Amino acid sequence: MRPDVSVVVIAYNDARRLPRAAASSLGQSLGAVETVIVDDASTDGTAEIADRLAAAHPGRVRAVHLPSNSGGCGRPRNAGIEASTGRYVMFLDSDDLLDRHACLNLLGAAEDTGADIVSGRCDRVFLDRPEDAQARVRPWYPWLYERRAVYGSLSENPDLLYDTLSTNKAYRRGFLEDQGLRFVEELYYEDLLFTAEAYLAAGRTALIPHRVYNWLVREPATAPSISNRRAELANFADRLEIHRRIDELFALRGAHDLRRAKDVKFINHDLLLYMRELRGRDRDYQARFLDLAAGYVAELDPRAFEEANPLPAIAAYLAREGDHAGALAAAEYAPGSRPELRARLVERNGRVYWGGGRPRRTLGRRILDVTGLGFHQRPLNELCPGNTVTRLEMRAGRVHMAGDVLNPLNRIPEDADLSGTLEFSDRRRPARRARVRAAVRHEGDRLSWRAEFDPAARIRPIGFVDPVWDVRFRLRVDGEDVVTRPGAGRGSPPLDGVMLPVRPRLTRLAADRLSSRVTGRGQLAFVLEAGSPGARLAGAVVRRATGTPPGRAARRARRLGRRVRRKLTSHHTKIVVFNRVLSRLPVRTGLVVFESHMGKQYSDNPKYIHRELRRSGRPVKAVWSYASSPKGFPDDARLVRRGSWAYFLALARAGFWVDNQGYPDGLRKRRETTYIQTWHGSAFKLMGLDQPRLKSGPASERARLRRMVERFDCFLVRSEHDVETLCGGLGVRSELLRAGYPRNDPLVNGVDGDPELAAEVAALRDSLGLDDGRRAVLYAPTFATLPDGRPVGVLEPPIDPEVFARELGEEFVLLVRPHYLCRADLPPGARAVVRDAGAAPDVTPLLLLADALITDHSSIMFDFALLDRPIVLHLPDGRDRRTGYFDLEPHAPGPITRTEDELVAALAGLDEAEPVHAARRRAFAERFGEHDRGTAARTVVDRYFPPAQPQRHRGNRHGRTA
């Protein structure tokens, strides 16, 4: 009977792994699967194993032997196609594995859809990371495989070009024969051309969300696979040749838009694969590689640079322009992974550009403009400025080290208080550190540092168990730390092989020196080595011992211990321990745990309840949770990191929980604990179970919301609108306290009787530079979301800063307040008229100093209306005003604008429009803030917390006061 699927397994000198790969084909849950093993003239016994497998499984396994080695994958795969008989063909490399249900799932989708090609998810499995499950498995372009899809042509989804693997796909044999599709031979990266041709020719291409292929990766590989030999220039030259052939293919078909999509993919993916590994290569190799790349990049459609991701586009463009340093720095900068900023930045005409030179031509200015990435605003430590080692040598028994730290945009002023510390840390146990003080000097666009020390006295390895030591430089700027990684760069001497004598704690026989190395990312590290004959002998003995069964058992025991430690400190374990153990401890009735926005800030309603408790002298002990940094949280409270053991212990023993969003799911609140849920705003947008996403989503999400809400003992509301909408949508069944919001008490009462808040508002006014008599307009919209539901990460001002300066700058200053889920995008030259107010953790002081508000659907409009100051609702892009619980336009507390011009006109005419909008604004405040009377914090405290203890006075023996 003809098999449904033929799996072509190609192998060369892989006798050890071939049986496992073949077993993954033989073990398919689909019965009618043929396995064709193609041996590419191996010399290690692979051919004999292929023959034995064929003999052991007659009719299911066939062995094909090529007479001479092809040096690639194209010829063996073509031979496999010719020798196979299945209705569909798949490909498997001998060092990888098929998922057990791969053939079944791919065949089922092919027959359901009539597709010529069916593709499933490929997972890269990093075998050298067994302890870290999350880092061990990385899906290959998972966003392509989130759901089933069928495309009638490649133009319907050009992003298919990101997945040009041939191994996670099933091809209909008739389609391959009709189109004459075969792999190119004698070139690497044959997959790219073959798959591009197949995508173009296919009548239908189907995607399924199931994993079908396991791409096994070994790092570091002693003999990298062909596709991983990126250190060979010939390898890159082959890749470029394949891309040129794909370009010709698209040109012949007149598929110019697809050609550009392929160019974008080349910039985003192919070029970056190589450039991110260049830092560890010598400069001659770097120059030859970048010259090779520049020749092809010059052939790309110029529009591809603007459609590609910003940093990859910069890398490609600067490679074309010959700026090798700027190109490498852009390629290495991968947002989201704490990358190092190695490139100089320049500000021109209020915009920030990548690289130190002046951008040439209009295209260059557009590509190199990185103002939107916020380098001029983000904290220095978040930028991770590059640190180039300029000196590393041993002299007279002492180490002499020096380097330069980038000072991006001269963010560090000349009069800053500077100090530095070199840190040498054990890679396996980073808490084990040796510290050396360094002198730091300001030199304009860089900070130079130098250190001199005796390594034998400062660095004390244990020996054997701590073979690799990383180096960090901790720069302290005006009391704040900036951590950098010293490494290779332009101006660096040779950094490999510098020997530092050390004294290990175990024995000098363990090792007696640290040898410098440059990592693949160009960072400096040291490897513990044996220098003396005795140490080398001891090291050899240890290595032999670790290879014995007891040694391997010891390594397994260590790995098991690490897994156990991770499990014991996991979030799930803490939830279980909280519910089963910690909840049995006695409750401390005066202990209050506060949290605002899941620990992100000291702000909102919990802040003002805490202040009222402190003011009233109630006998309570406050604990505040913080998510990342304790900076800005109150000094008179105990601070615990959210998610830590101390956090869960405090929650378990607390008499009160006070927060505005939600404590971790899974925690069972004790009956003795009172949970005061203050929430964080009235509802315009649909909430909770009223949201279509939650209504039609998994039942588990609705159950999760129900569990969270059932823990509430009290829920604060501002109006009967909240009762009908917010409480109904969330499913609140607890006591409703109609007291208003504590954070709004100052909006009703002012700050005259609150010197603490008055000082906070004054300090905020000074930090924003609001001292020239101009009125402050606060722009504070709600967060926007992308089509996939993720929040938009960057907030742009509603009016172009140049337009604002020209039309409104003499009278107004615009304060941009992004939602805490995003950040503001303001060019540095705009500070004269536009200020970033995102650093203020609490919005109430901002509302107090603002003279007017611009917002959209944000619930901040309900709060600001209490101040009886002008409000403009800016709803651009035709956003539907009927996206909430009521039609906004009939109830709007101010004018509604749709365009920038309308918004400029509304601000210019604020005073003239006051008679029209004042009455509507007051009616709006009365309807949506009817319970905000300036007494919310006191009402909450009086209702739930124990009374203040009367002060005791020391009297005389007759009871009279002294």
Side-chain angles (χ1 to χ4, degrees):
M1 185 178 71
R2 186 182 185 186
D4 288 323
V5 178
S6 292
V7 177
V8 175
V9 185
I10 63 171
Y12 172 68
N13 283 354
D14 204 7
R16 181 173 60 86
R17 294 177 294 194
L18 174 59
R20 185 176 61 177
S24 76
S25 178
L26 288 165
Q28 287 294 299
S29 56
L30 179 70
V33 175
E34 171 190 51
T35 303
V36 178
I37 302 173
V38 182
D39 166 46
D40 196 7
S42 299
T43 60
D44 71 336
T46 297
E48 290 78 4
I49 289 176
D51 288 337
R52 284 202 295 269
L53 286 167
H57 304 278
R60 297 186 63 199
V61 177
R62 302 178 64 191
V64 177
H65 302 283
L66 297 185
S68 60
N69 181 253
S70 68
C73 300
R75 189 184 305 167
R77 284 181 179 153
N78 289 338
I81 295 173
E82 300 298 334
S84 62
T85 60
R87 294 189 297 121
Y88 289 84
V89 181
M90 292 182 63
F91 302 100
L92 171 64
D93 292 344
S94 61
D95 55 350
D96 296 330
L97 299 173
L98 289 179
D99 184 82
R100 172 169 165 70
H101 305 293
C103 294
L104 180 67
N105 287 329
L106 291 171
L107 178 66
E111 293 184 335
D112 288 346
T113 62
D116 295 318
I117 308 170
V118 183
S119 186
R121 196 182 79 234
C122 168
D123 281 356
R124 302 184 76 198
V125 182
F126 292 82
L127 300 178
D128 298 298
R129 306 174 191 176
E131 296 91 359
D132 190 343
Q134 186 173 4
R136 189 170 191 256
V137 179
R138 294 183 187 173
W140 183 255
Y141 291 107
W143 43 271
L144 284 173
Y145 296 97
E146 291 178 346
R147 59 187 64 85
R148 286 179 175 268
V150 180
Y151 302 104
S153 67
L154 179 58
S155 60
E156 290 184 13
N157 185 8
D159 283 348
L160 291 174
L161 291 169
Y162 280 89
D163 183 8
T164 50
L165 300 176
S166 63
T167 48
N168 60 334
K169 298 171 178 61
Y171 302 88
R172 186 170 59 82
R173 176 177 296 280
F175 164 67
L176 296 179
E177 300 301 339
D178 293 344
Q179 299 297 327
L181 286 172
R182 292 296 186 270
F183 291 89
V184 65
E185 300 182 7
E186 298 180 357
L187 282 174
Y188 297 154
Y189 303 107
E190 66 293 325
D191 276 14
L192 276 67
L193 180 57
F194 177 84
T195 310
E197 288 183 288
Y199 281 149
L200 271 177
R204 285 185 183 177
T205 298
L207 305 186
I208 60 174
H210 308 289
R211 179 182 64 189
V212 300
Y213 196 84
N214 295 286
W215 178 356
L216 306 186
V217 183
R218 292 163 181 81
E219 291 184 329
T222 55
S225 66
I226 289 173
S227 61
N228 284 330
R229 295 175 190 162
R230 291 191 283 270
E232 302 172 8
L233 282 176
N235 177 293
F236 183 55
D238 275 7
R239 196 176 196 113
L240 296 183
E241 176 59 25
I242 289 290
H243 272 276
R244 287 188 170 101
R245 295 192 184 191
I246 297 173
D247 295 341
E248 292 175 6
L249 176 68
F250 287 146
L252 288 173
R253 301 288 183 92
H256 303 296
D257 289 344
L258 291 175
R259 157 75 191 272
R260 188 167 70 253
K262 193 277 311 176
D263 288 348
V264 170
K265 181 256 184 179
F266 176 83
I267 293 172
N268 285 340
H269 172 77
D270 299 72
L271 187 59
L272 281 190
L273 282 178
Y274 291 83
M275 292 188 67
R276 284 178 176 167
E277 296 179 359
L278 281 182
R279 182 67 62 179
R281 315 282 184 216
D282 62 68
R283 290 179 189 168
D284 179 64
Y285 179 94
Q286 292 178 7
R288 287 187 292 129
F289 171 88
L290 289 168
D291 287 342
L292 194 63
Y296 181 69
V297 172
E299 301 172 18
L300 303 182
D301 186 328
R303 290 173 293 177
F305 294 103
E306 298 185 77
E307 295 177 17
N309 296 332
L311 269 303
I314 291 172
Y317 177 79
L318 291 180
R320 191 187 81 171
E321 298 296 303
D323 182 353
H324 293 176
L328 287 180
E332 294 165 350
Y333 195 89
S337 58
R338 288 190 62 81
E340 293 181 64
L341 176 61
R342 294 178 178 268
R344 283 180 165 78
L345 306 174
V346 61
E347 180 186 342
R348 297 186 188 279
N349 300 321
R351 309 298 295 178
V352 177
Y353 296 94
W354 187 274
R358 179 185 294 274
R360 294 185 295 173
R361 297 183 295 275
T362 303
L363 177 64
R365 286 193 294 273
R366 288 203 297 263
I367 294 170
L368 299 179
D369 188 337
V370 292
T371 311
L373 297 181
F375 291 114
H376 57 289
Q377 296 173 308
R378 287 152 61 185
L380 283 170
N381 193 35
E382 185 181 316
L383 289 181
C384 300
N387 189 335
T388 301
V389 177
T390 56
R391 184 183 184 189
L392 174 61
E393 62 178 338
M394 282 292 302
R395 182 187 297 176
R398 298 180 69 79
V399 181
H400 295 262
M401 291 185 67
D404 290 334
V405 178
L406 194 66
N407 183 11
L409 295 169
N410 293 327
R411 293 271 304 275
I412 302 173
E414 290 187 22
D415 59 353
D417 182 16
L418 302 175
S419 61
T421 307
L422 269 176
E423 296 180 346
F424 297 79
S425 61
D426 176 4
R427 181 172 292 180
R428 294 181 177 178
R429 301 165 186 82
R432 292 192 62 241
R433 297 176 184 172
R435 295 179 174 87
V436 178
R437 287 194 176 185
V440 184
R441 186 173 61 191
H442 194 289
E443 296 189 4
D445 62 355
R446 60 191 176 91
L447 307 170
S448 65
W449 59 269
R450 56 184 175 82
E452 178 186 340
F453 61 96
D454 177 2
R458 291 300 185 94
I459 307 174
R460 297 295 306 277
I462 295 175
F464 298 125
V465 298
D466 48 359
V468 181
W469 288 70
D470 291 316
V471 184
R472 288 175 175 80
F473 182 75
R474 187 176 297 272
L475 176 67
R476 196 162 183 81
V477 181
D478 291 334
E480 294 190 16
D481 285 348
V482 180
V483 180
T484 67
R485 289 293 306 270
R490 293 192 178 274
S492 291
L495 298 181
D496 282 319
V498 179
M499 301 295 178
L500 278 56
V502 294
R503 290 184 297 165
R505 296 180 184 275
L506 281 179
T507 168
R508 190 176 291 274
L509 292 178
D512 55 7
R513 63 187 186 184
L514 288 170
S515 177
S516 62
R517 297 284 188 274
V518 177
T519 69
R521 298 188 64 182
Q523 296 166 341
L524 183 64
F526 287 87
V527 178
L528 194 59
E529 289 185 352
S532 66
R536 287 196 294 270
L537 177 61
V541 170
V542 169
R543 286 191 294 273
R544 283 197 296 271
T546 56
T548 63
R552 289 193 293 271
R555 290 202 304 275
R556 287 194 297 270
R558 285 198 301 273
R559 287 197 294 268
L560 176 62
R562 286 194 289 268
R563 285 197 296 269
V564 169
R565 284 195 295 274
R566 279 196 301 274
K567 188 172 182 61
L568 289 177
T569 57
S570 70
H571 179 78
H572 173 74
T573 298
K574 289 173 180 175
I575 295 290
V576 171
V577 172
F578 177 94
N579 292 329
R580 297 182 181 178
V581 179
L582 300 181
S583 292
R584 299 178 184 272
L585 298 174
V587 168
R588 294 177 176 172
T589 56
L591 182 64
V592 189
V593 177
F594 292 94
E595 187 169 285
S596 178
H597 296 302
M598 296 185 289
K600 292 184 182 295
Q601 303 163 339
Y602 173 56
S603 66
D604 211 83
N605 294 314
K607 169 184 175 178
Y608 291 91
I609 294 175
H610 172 234
R611 292 175 74 244
E612 177 64 22
L613 283 169
R614 182 177 58 196
R615 185 198 62 76
S616 65
R618 306 280 170 150
V620 298
K621 182 176 182 180
V623 174
W624 271 89
S625 86
Y626 65 92
S628 57
S629 170
K631 184 179 178 181
F633 285 82
D635 296 332
D636 61 344
R638 185 163 70 91
L639 308 182
V640 294
R641 182 183 288 273
R642 195 176 200 266
S644 66
W645 278 114
Y647 172 77
F648 287 106
L649 179 60
L651 286 173
R653 305 203 66 181
F656 298 91
W657 293 358
V658 181
D659 95 309
N660 68 348
Q661 199 154 337
Y663 289 107
D665 182 30
L667 296 184
R668 292 198 294 269
K669 186 188 70 69
R670 306 171 69 171
R671 292 182 180 178
E672 303 95 327
T673 300
T674 301
Y675 188 170
I676 300 171
Q677 173 55 256
T678 71
W679 206 243
H680 51 274
S682 297
F684 172 75
K685 294 173 293 189
L686 302 179
M687 300 297 295
L689 297 172
D690 291 336
Q691 300 176 81
R693 176 186 61 82
L694 207 57
K695 281 183 179 179
S696 60
S700 60
E701 285 298 305
R702 295 189 291 276
R704 179 179 179 274
L705 175 63
R706 186 169 57 252
R707 287 194 305 271
M708 301 280 281
V709 172
E710 284 175 349
R711 299 182 300 188
F712 302 164
D713 294 302
C714 161
F715 191 85
L716 269 59
V717 294
R718 305 182 56 212
S719 66
E720 294 310 300
H721 167 77
D722 286 359
V723 177
E724 297 169 4
T725 58
L726 182 60
C727 297
L730 295 176
V732 176
R733 297 293 181 267
S734 63
E735 176 184 0
L736 302 182
L737 188 62
R738 292 169 166 84
Y741 278 173
R743 73 184 187 194
N744 288 343
D745 288 349
L747 304 184
V748 176
N749 301 327
V751 297
D752 290 343
D754 191 338
E756 180 182 358
L757 184 59
E760 191 174 341
V761 173
L764 180 60
R765 182 183 295 276
D766 288 343
S767 69
L768 293 171
L770 304 177
D771 55 1
D772 58 3
R774 289 183 293 175
R775 290 193 285 178
V777 178
L778 177 64
Y779 176 53
T782 190
F783 68 95
T785 57
L786 298 168
D788 61 5
R790 290 181 294 121
V792 173
V794 176
L795 173 66
E796 297 182 353
I799 304 173
D800 182 274
E802 292 185 9
V803 175
F804 191 94
R806 184 176 64 250
E807 302 292 336
L808 304 165
E810 292 185 4
E811 185 178 356
F812 296 105
V813 173
L814 182 65
L815 306 179
V816 178
R817 166 71 174 188
H819 191 274
Y820 69 86
L821 292 174
C822 66
R823 61 176 178 80
D825 175 18
L826 304 179
R831 180 163 174 79
V833 292
V834 184
R835 315 280 164 80
D836 182 1
D842 186 17
V843 75
T844 298
L846 269 175
L847 298 183
L848 287 166
L849 60 79
D851 297 293
L853 173 71
I854 305 170
T855 188
D856 50 8
H857 299 141
S858 173
S859 65
I860 199 171
M861 60 183 166
F862 299 111
D863 303 315
F864 193 77
L866 298 172
L867 291 166
D868 196 22
R869 299 173 188 170
I871 299 174
V872 179
L873 299 182
H874 186 53
L875 306 174
D877 306 325
R879 295 177 193 170
D880 186 2
R881 63 182 180 273
R882 299 179 183 271
T883 55
Y885 283 111
F886 59 92
D887 187 352
L888 187 56
E889 188 164 336
H891 303 281
I896 294 177
T897 62
R898 302 286 182 182
T899 67
E900 181 184 88
D901 290 343
E902 290 178 3
L903 180 56
V904 169
L907 292 176
L910 276 184
D911 295 336
E912 291 78 3
E914 265 299 275
V916 177
H917 298 294
R920 288 166 56 88
R921 185 173 62 242
R922 288 161 192 155
F924 185 88
E926 182 61 32
R927 177 184 177 187
F928 297 107
E930 61 183 297
H931 302 312
D932 278 314
R933 294 294 179 261
T935 58
R938 186 166 70 247
T939 301
V940 172
V941 168
D942 290 344
R943 172 71 177 81
Y944 291 104
F945 290 89
Q949 298 293 330
Q951 292 185 347
R952 295 183 179 179
H953 299 281
R954 185 177 297 170
N956 59 26
R957 71 175 106 191
H958 301 293
R960 294 190 295 270
T961 302

